Amino acid sequence: MKNILVTGCAGFIGSNFLNYILKERDDVFIVNLDKLTYAGNLENLKPIENNKNYRFIKGDITNVELVDYIFTKYSIKYVINFAAESHVDRSILGSSVFYQTNVMGTNVLLEAARRYNVEKFLQVSTDEVYGSLGATGLFTESTPISPNSPYSSSKAAADLMVQAFHHTYGMPIVITRCSNNYGPLQFPEKLIPLMIINTLNGKKLPIYGDGLNVRDWIYVIDHNKAVELVFEKGKIGEVYNIGASREMTNVEIVKLILNKLGKGEEMIEYVKDRPGHDRRYAIDSSKIQNELGWKPSFQFEQAMEYTIDWYLSNKNWWDRIISGEYQKYYEVQYRNR
Ligand code: NAD
Ligand code: TDX
């Protein structure tokens, strides 16, 4: 049995990860430490809440005593760190909590991992640490780190710290850097769910700038299978890029959603650009493909269709979210744009 502390799993990617891995495997015992910020939702974990190999603990990864207690009580030997403040726009509105959680929180986990001699520490990172691409080229693992937003700079700082713990203390770490995820359970502030939900509610679809910024989209389960593979087989000390080679402009994504929901382009509203908006992300995932044998298994059009259907059939889930704190955030983020 592998005793793993997996953080931030009441959020989008982490909840999909636990729902997937605890269904597939019974050789892992998982403690999920999550602060339940605005983005954390225990409803996401209904399928596994009574699983005998699962415990949930509500708490903050920056809490040294709590993290220490969890390592002792559950004999933790592995860490997978999903927990983060994850939204670029929120990091532009206010950056402190991003550095607190993403940098200091990672430091607290690393120090505990050092005290308890963990066998592997996997840091879930992002392609945004590489900065922005021009019209051509791809991010490889040797692309220099050059983050542009408070969010991406906090993730880059965490990556550098994780690598320093490997270099200095020999900590057995691996880092994954994935491109933009989509799928069920994604919080409505992110592009795809925001556009689906606004369309269903007859609200305008706010596209930043000229809408020609490019993101490289991957279905969340493909990301999570890659995380599992790197956790099991990744070479210690290495970084692995994860992406499905599906570049799309934001306008293309929005039109695809409108088309699927039978609505017209008059719902689109071009609004003031995001400050410092990265133009293009695109991932070269040949390292994980060649060295670990991973490849994406979901086809974009089908997985997008499934995702849109999921939001259509789970109105209760997102209605509860958008009627709470989200409304205030939306008002602040989109007024005067
Ligand atoms: P999310 O915002 O949906 O979920 C984040 C989770 O972390 C929430 O459950 C929240 O409650 C928890 N959390 C936040 N601060 C915490 C703290 N101080 N202590 C404990 N828990 C805390 O984010 P997501 O989209 O699921 O992203 C998960 C991870 O994957 C992040 O590290 C993110 O940087 C990375 N990532 C995301 C994407 C993407 O497209 N969403 C792509 C690449 C990498
Ligand atoms: O209302 C919007 N209008 C718009 O045009 C929103 C919310 C977004 N956008 C644009 C900005 C980006 O070019 O859509 C693109 C995607 O935006 P987000 O969904 O905010 O994602 P992004 O900024 O690319 O970051 C995401 O991918 C990398 C995740 O939020 C990060 O956690 C991850 O690391």
Side-chain angles (χ1 to χ4, degrees):
M1 188 66 84
K2 282 184 165 153
N3 290 6
I4 319 174
L5 171 61
V6 191
T7 66
C9 284
F12 163 50
I13 301 175
S15 61
N16 275 290
F17 181 76
L18 291 193
N19 290 336
Y20 155 75
I21 203 162
L22 283 165
K23 192 162 147 234
E24 297 287 309
R25 295 174 56 162
D26 57 12
D27 63 335
V28 290
F29 178 84
I30 289 177
V31 179
N32 170 19
L33 172 62
D34 194 299
K35 189 181 174 182
L36 299 183
T37 67
Y38 76 90
N41 182 352
L42 286 181
E43 248 186 274
N44 299 355
L45 294 162
K46 275 264 173 248
I48 53 118
E49 67 185 0
N50 296 319
N51 189 300
K52 65 179 184 346
N53 291 339
Y54 171 68
R55 296 287 181 283
F56 172 70
I57 295 178
K58 179 177 187 299
D60 196 319
I61 59 167
T62 64
N63 183 335
V64 178
E65 291 75 28
L66 176 62
V67 169
D68 202 83
Y69 163 81
I70 293 170
F71 270 77
T72 313
K73 166 133 173 113
Y74 296 103
S75 308
I76 297 296
K77 279 289 162 203
Y78 301 87
V79 178
I80 303 179
N81 183 25
F82 284 100
E85 287 292 335
S86 70
H87 192 38
V88 173
D89 288 325
R90 288 189 194 248
S91 81
I92 295 168
L93 292 173
S95 65
S96 302
V97 70
F98 283 75
Y99 296 108
Q100 195 57 35
T101 288
N102 301 0
V103 184
M104 287 318 296
T106 303
N107 180 255
V108 168
L109 295 173
L110 283 168
E111 284 293 358
R114 188 156 80 89
R115 281 194 299 282
Y116 289 89
N117 294 317
V118 295
E119 289 173 30
K120 204 170 239 184
F121 187 108
L122 188 153
Q123 175 69 3
V124 178
S125 185
T126 167
D127 61 355
E128 296 197 17
V129 300
Y130 296 121
S132 183
L133 291 165
T136 57
L138 301 173
F139 295 133
T140 72
E141 289 80 358
S142 51
T143 302
I145 301 283
S146 181
N148 291 317
S149 70
Y151 163 70
S152 56
S153 68
S154 70
K155 293 295 290 186
D159 282 18
L160 294 175
M161 188 175 10
V162 170
Q163 286 174 319
F165 270 61
H166 172 63
H167 189 81
T168 306
Y169 305 116
M171 180 170 295
I173 65 96
V174 277
I175 297 174
T176 57
R177 294 191 181 134
C178 189
S179 63
N180 284 61
N181 285 220
Y182 66 96
L185 302 170
Q186 186 166 30
F187 195 83
E189 67 196 351
K190 306 286 171 28
L191 178 75
I192 288 177
L194 186 142
M195 297 300 171
I196 297 171
I197 291 170
N198 278 18
T199 307
L200 295 174
N201 282 341
K203 286 179 80 167
K204 287 283 184 194
L205 309 186
I207 296 186
Y208 300 158
D210 64 5
L212 298 179
N213 301 64
V214 171
R215 297 293 182 265
D216 191 354
W217 294 95
I218 182 171
Y219 189 59
V220 62
I221 299 296
D222 274 333
H223 177 191
N224 282 332
K225 285 184 174 172
V227 168
E228 183 188 16
L229 188 63
V230 171
F231 177 68
E232 293 298 340
K233 304 224 167 80
K235 208 169 136 210
I236 296 300
E238 296 284 310
V239 175
Y240 294 90
N241 281 353
I242 303 166
S245 302
R246 188 58 199 228
E247 291 183 50
M248 299 277 285
T249 63
N250 295 334
V251 177
E252 285 172 324
I253 290 279
V254 171
K255 287 185 179 167
L256 184 154
I257 291 168
L258 282 170
N259 191 28
K260 161 79 182 162
L261 293 174
K263 300 285 182 204
E265 290 174 21
E266 67 284 353
M267 290 187 77
I268 294 177
E269 182 172 42
Y270 287 89
V271 300
K272 201 162 98 206
D273 209 353
R274 172 186 280 177
H277 197 175
D278 284 341
R279 192 61 175 170
R280 175 171 167 263
Y281 303 144
I283 277 270
D284 177 344
S285 63
S286 52
K287 177 173 172 181
I288 188 172
Q289 302 215 22
N290 296 336
E291 292 183 15
L292 303 185
W294 175 85
K295 62 174 171 30
S297 48
F298 289 87
Q299 199 265 340
F300 177 78
E301 278 74 16
Q302 274 168 13
M304 266 299 283
E305 184 146 346
Y306 174 74
T307 301
I308 295 171
D309 285 342
W310 187 87
Y311 282 90
L312 276 169
S313 6
N314 287 276
K315 187 171 184 311
N316 282 343
W317 181 88
W318 53 260
D319 246 351
R320 269 198 288 281
I321 294 172
I322 64 171
S323 59
E325 182 269 355
Y326 182 75
Q327 243 171 34
K328 285 191 210 118
Y329 161 75
Y330 197 92
E331 164 60 22
V332 172
Q333 173 63 19
Y334 293 94
R335 78 172 165 225
N336 308 327
R337 272 203 117 95

